[in-house]
Amino acid sequence: SFPHIKNEQWKNYFFAGLILNLIFFLFLSLLLVAFENLFFNAFPPNFFTPLNISIILGGVLIHICSLFFISLFLTSQQIKVYALLSVLNNILGIAIIWMGVIKGITQALLLLSVSPGISLIFILYFFWKSFKHRLSGIKVNTNWKSINEIGHFILSAVSVVVFTRISDFILRQFFIQKYSAYETGLWQATIKLSDGYTTLFTTVLGILIFSKISSLINDRPTLKAFLKKSLNLVVFASFTGLFLVYLLKVPILTLLFSEEFEKGAHLMDFLLVADLFKFPSLILLYLLQVRMKTVAFISIQALSLLIYMFFIFLLMPLLGFEGVQLAGLIKNLLTFLILLLINRHFFI
């Protein structure tokens, strides 16, 4: 969090972050082109065309830029602007795709690129209005210290993608081959529901808690008191929200998907308990991130995945997809306990 640093130092961090995000985009582009069979095997054979790839990469670049510029408001403690732009980004994305479908536009990829592009216009307007004084006498100047510090955050973010999103993709492909697409679909529906309310909860944490942790990182006594209150609040809010989801799991699944997905409601039980440990773990993980404990952060992500894989292959032959959800519960519980142990100095 950098609300009070001098303009010259702010510019160093700004350009370091911009450069590293562009490097990440180039790396991702190379991966998509080099391994198109892995990423696009679910699409028709003629899908991998220069036009489609250009649209996809353009959309990814716009999305990365949007997230980068929005994050500047969070680090500067401009919470209201951050929340407004985050909501606007999501609403515009949904609205443009919906209107495109209504109007009969079949090029869904184009819609996915246009929607974040329109959001980026608003984001850049607010960025210039809020930070133009920071860029006065602009001079592209950065240093290895700035790149190193911001590089820690980007490396942590990449580890989350590698150890969660990519591993989920590989697991889903494995389950579809080993079991029926219908059974895998029931499990996937519960995961998508969990991802949905996790994204909402993480956004709230980012606005109310994560930014405060960043600003208090050098004030240990105040941070300790804030963390204790925050964890108590998160546990209470998580339990209340997840209990409501448990009571309404059948109507939620049928509303979001179809009546056929009612048969997957039993898969929610272990998943909801697992999420009860996931939400406070997000705070403890973020605490490692702002303390720049990058090796510990990545190691925990890797260890968490290994635990998950081990218990999946141990329990799935016995319990089916309920074994997968139980494996997730064990993973989240053990991850939470490990994080609590690592960060124990902030709670004792």
Side-chain angles (χ1 to χ4, degrees):
S1 180
F2 314 122
H4 306 300
I5 64 175
K6 295 179 180 179
N7 286 352
E8 193 62 35
Q9 190 179 6
W10 186 91
K11 280 190 278 191
N12 287 341
Y13 283 117
F14 172 77
F15 286 115
L18 194 58
I19 290 169
L20 287 172
N21 273 278
L22 291 176
I23 290 173
F24 172 71
F25 167 72
L26 291 174
F27 176 71
L28 182 62
S29 302
L30 289 173
L31 281 181
L32 287 175
V33 174
F35 300 99
E36 76 269 17
N37 291 331
L38 174 63
F39 292 107
F40 301 111
N41 64 349
F43 293 90
N46 61 345
F47 176 82
F48 194 75
T49 64
L51 176 62
N52 284 343
I53 297 306
S54 299
I55 293 173
I56 290 173
L57 294 179
V60 170
L61 178 59
I62 292 171
H63 190 63
I64 288 174
C65 290
S66 297
L67 293 178
F68 171 71
F69 284 105
I70 286 178
S71 69
L72 295 175
F73 295 99
L74 185 61
T75 59
S76 297
Q77 303 293 301
Q78 299 184 46
I79 306 302
K80 291 182 180 179
V81 180
Y82 171 80
L84 172 66
L85 291 175
S86 297
V87 172
L88 179 67
N89 196 29
N90 291 326
I91 290 177
L92 274 176
I94 295 171
I96 290 171
I97 292 173
W98 180 76
M99 285 189 294
V101 172
I102 293 296
K103 295 293 183 180
I105 298 176
T106 57
Q107 182 53 276
L109 284 176
L110 185 59
L111 293 173
L112 288 172
S113 297
V114 168
S115 57
I118 295 176
S119 299
L120 184 59
I121 294 173
F122 289 98
I123 293 167
L124 289 176
Y125 168 77
F126 280 99
F127 165 76
W128 181 249
K129 190 175 179 180
S130 299
F131 297 105
K132 61 182 178 182
H133 66 285
R134 294 281 200 179
L135 296 171
S136 58
I138 188 168
K139 178 182 175 184
V140 179
N141 181 32
T142 187
N143 53 54
W144 283 111
K145 181 183 177 183
S146 305
I147 292 176
N148 180 58
E149 290 180 359
I150 295 180
H152 281 276
F153 291 100
I154 294 181
L155 194 59
S156 298
V158 170
S159 74
V160 173
V161 174
V162 171
F163 293 120
T164 56
R165 297 302 179 185
I166 294 180
S167 63
D168 286 346
F169 173 78
I170 294 172
L171 274 177
R172 182 170 66 251
Q173 295 300 104
F174 170 76
F175 291 155
I176 290 175
Q177 292 177 5
K178 187 172 179 62
Y179 301 91
S180 69
Y182 174 72
E183 290 178 293
T184 305
L186 293 179
W187 166 76
Q188 190 66 40
T190 65
I191 299 299
K192 289 298 181 185
L193 176 57
S194 174
D195 287 345
Y197 60 67
T198 297
T199 300
L200 176 62
F201 202 87
T202 305
T203 302
V204 174
L205 287 179
I207 294 172
L208 299 179
I209 296 177
F210 289 170
S211 59
K212 190 69 174 178
I213 291 175
S214 298
S215 64
L216 294 175
I217 195 63
N218 295 318
D219 186 357
R220 179 68 68 91
T222 307
L223 179 58
K224 288 176 68 173
F226 177 75
L227 282 172
K228 289 177 183 178
K229 291 180 181 178
S230 298
L231 273 183
N232 289 334
L233 176 62
V234 166
V235 170
F236 174 76
S238 301
F239 179 82
T240 304
L242 292 172
F243 184 67
L244 288 174
V245 174
Y246 172 76
L247 294 177
L248 300 171
K249 60 184 178 180
V250 173
I252 289 175
L253 286 172
T254 54
L255 178 65
L256 293 178
F257 302 100
S258 72
E259 292 183 358
E260 286 293 315
F261 286 87
E262 180 181 343
K263 297 176 182 178
H266 67 284
L267 296 175
M268 292 293 299
D269 298 344
F270 285 135
L271 179 63
L272 291 170
V273 180
D275 287 341
L276 185 61
F277 295 103
K278 177 170 66 177
F279 293 140
S281 295
L282 293 174
I283 295 178
L284 299 175
L285 267 174
Y286 185 75
L287 186 58
L288 284 181
Q289 195 175 22
V290 295
R291 292 167 60 203
M292 301 189 71
K293 303 292 185 181
T294 309
V295 174
F297 185 95
I298 296 175
S299 298
I300 288 173
Q301 297 285 334
L303 179 60
S304 181
L305 177 60
L306 289 175
I307 293 171
Y308 189 38
M309 293 292 189
F310 173 77
F311 281 102
I312 281 177
F313 291 105
L314 181 67
L315 297 172
M316 196 168 188
L318 302 174
L319 301 172
F321 278 100
E322 280 189 296
V324 178
Q325 307 295 56
L326 180 56
L329 193 163
I330 295 170
K331 176 201 73 171
N332 286 358
L333 172 59
L334 292 178
T335 301
F336 172 70
L337 293 176
I338 292 170
L339 285 167
L340 205 56
L341 180 64
I342 293 173
N343 293 297
R344 64 188 181 279
H345 300 299
F346 289 91
F347 301 97
I348 57 175

